[in-house]
Amino acid sequence: MPPRPASAASLCLLCGLVLAIVLAAGAPAPVLADPAPMQAVEVSSRPISRFHIGRDESRFGPLEFVGGLEMTAPARAFGGISSMRFLAPGSDFMAVTDTGMWLFGRIARDADGRPSGLEQVRMQHMADATGNAILDKWEVDAEGLAVRDGEAVVGFERRHRISRFRIAPQGMQAATGTIDFLVPAHELRQNRGFETLAYAPASGPLKGVLVAVTEKSLDRQGNIFAAVTDGPGKGIFTVRRHEGFDITDGAFLPDGDLLLLERSYTIMSGVGMRLRRIAGDSIGKGALVDGPVLLQADMAYQIDNMEALDVWRRGNGATMVSMMSDDNTSILQRNLYLEFVLHED
């Protein structure tokens, strides 16, 4: 027999009781769903053989284009990639999305070592302490990611924080703690928070510390807030902003310099991207840092909203630079993977 409908009076009483509990707790009720399983996603990839559209050149300053992928999937959740890190050089990787998803996968390669597709792709909603999926974007707008020793740290904007997670590719759990990001919370813009989290190499000038850089939280001089979260240089520093470009990700090079991925957008010119190199020994409390542009590209190149970056070593010792785009879950944008060799000569 179907349940008897509740009276209007009893429903009002129940709603009032729930509202009273929420107000007494001093915080909005979390938006929860069913437990968040890891789900397989089938991804189709179209190889990209030319970076400069319609031209055969492969060398762009110190960067040499290896290959790329344009990726699509029937799953609506696939996309919105904000940051990625390789768990095995050039192969297994993990990523976060600005819709609050974990993404794991593997770059497949052809006989010449060029990227040919994505394999073993799995996605999972970020979960709360009870294992339930968090569906409120305000809570899980993940933008930055760094990994080390089986742990991932994730930068979130809107509700700004840097959280710790144990890496479990078969099923991620809730955060295990947070990291003090040092920058005063009132200086962080709602949708322009920590886009870059990167561990410096232990052998470099920063001795393995975690560096956090915002997208576009600016000081009074128009420079971008950043912080060294630990170590001898612990403290706030800033990055000089140029020509309307905002920082979307970053990764340290083997020598300890910081490579920053930046993006611009105007209605007239569309999307632009560039890579800028910051000397590692210039980073520290109170510093204003800047560095040369290694690569800049506009819509004449195979780019989109480039938001994810990682650096890794190929088997022959070459330094590799990989990037992914955030399609903003829009049919007008693309999910891209691009790969370059960084020549130091």
Side-chain angles (χ1 to χ4, degrees):
M1 183 175 69
R4 185 169 57 190
S7 68
S10 62
L11 285 174
C12 288
L13 180 61
L14 178 60
C15 290
L17 179 60
V18 171
L19 179 60
I21 292 171
V22 169
L23 292 176
V31 180
L32 303 178
D34 294 329
M38 190 73 74
Q39 296 185 338
V41 176
E42 290 294 326
V43 176
S44 299
S45 300
R46 181 183 68 83
I48 297 172
S49 58
R50 295 183 178 93
F51 180 55
H52 197 166
I53 297 172
R55 299 192 182 183
D56 291 331
E57 61 188 309
S58 61
R59 188 71 181 259
F60 306 91
L63 290 150
E64 179 184 358
F65 185 62
V66 174
L69 304 168
E70 181 177 343
M71 305 167 293
T72 59
R76 289 187 60 190
F78 183 75
I81 298 168
S82 296
S83 189
M84 59 90 70
R85 297 290 183 223
F86 280 108
L87 303 178
S91 178
D92 297 335
F93 69 92
M94 69 181 296
V96 292
T97 78
D98 59 15
T99 54
M101 303 287 289
W102 298 105
L103 188 154
F104 290 85
R106 175 180 296 168
I107 305 294
R109 298 186 178 275
D110 64 19
D112 295 318
R114 291 185 293 262
S116 60
L118 253 60
E119 300 176 333
Q120 300 180 21
V121 178
R122 296 97 63 206
M123 298 188 73
Q124 177 190 12
H125 279 285
M126 292 182 176
D128 67 5
T130 67
N132 288 341
I134 306 172
L135 302 182
D136 186 347
K137 181 179 173 69
W138 185 275
E139 292 289 323
V140 284
D141 187 348
E143 297 290 345
L145 172 67
V147 301
R148 186 170 67 183
D149 299 334
E151 182 181 70
V153 292
V154 179
F156 295 91
E157 59 184 18
R158 301 178 194 267
R159 188 167 80 79
H160 301 291
R161 65 198 186 279
I162 299 175
S163 299
R164 299 177 180 271
F165 299 84
R166 296 307 303 170
I167 298 175
Q170 302 310 312
M172 296 290 289
Q173 302 298 316
T176 60
T178 58
I179 292 173
D180 183 1
F181 48 71
L182 303 180
V183 179
H186 70 270
E187 296 286 8
L188 297 175
R189 310 302 178 259
Q190 176 179 307
N191 198 31
R192 296 289 188 269
F194 288 106
E195 293 265 336
T196 297
L197 298 176
Y199 282 110
S203 59
L206 291 170
K207 307 299 182 185
V209 301
L210 177 69
V211 170
V213 186
T214 65
E215 175 186 2
K216 192 185 173 183
S217 291
L218 307 179
D219 67 7
R220 292 182 179 180
Q221 290 72 45
N223 301 311
I224 300 165
F225 274 109
V228 178
T229 66
D230 56 334
K234 178 179 178 180
I236 297 169
F237 70 98
T238 52
V239 181
R240 192 177 296 281
R241 184 170 184 258
H242 293 286
E243 303 167 358
F245 276 86
D246 302 322
I247 295 169
T248 59
D249 207 352
F252 278 94
L253 295 167
D255 69 355
D257 286 354
L258 178 61
L259 193 62
L260 291 175
L261 176 63
E262 300 179 304
R263 171 199 59 216
S264 67
Y265 175 75
T266 67
I267 294 176
M268 293 296 294
S269 60
V271 177
M273 64 79 64
R274 72 179 181 188
L275 290 172
R276 187 163 39 138
R277 185 172 189 158
I278 308 296
D281 59 9
S282 72
I283 296 171
K285 182 178 180 180
L288 170 59
V289 303
D290 199 354
V293 173
L294 303 187
L295 172 68
Q296 186 161 330
D298 56 21
M299 298 300 289
Y301 297 80
Q302 289 281 9
I303 66 166
D304 206 281
N305 175 32
M306 308 309 297
E307 285 221 9
L309 171 77
D310 202 13
V311 172
W312 51 283
R313 288 278 203 185
R314 202 160 59 182
N316 63 1
T319 299
M320 308 298 294
V321 177
S322 292
M323 290 177 271
M324 284 187 174
S325 68
D326 171 1
D327 72 340
N328 289 312
T329 61
S330 167
I331 61 172
L332 302 178
Q333 294 179 254
R334 299 182 296 165
N335 291 302
L336 301 179
Y337 173 80
L338 304 175
E339 190 171 289
F340 299 82
V341 177
L342 176 60
H343 294 278
E344 298 284 4
D345 48 15

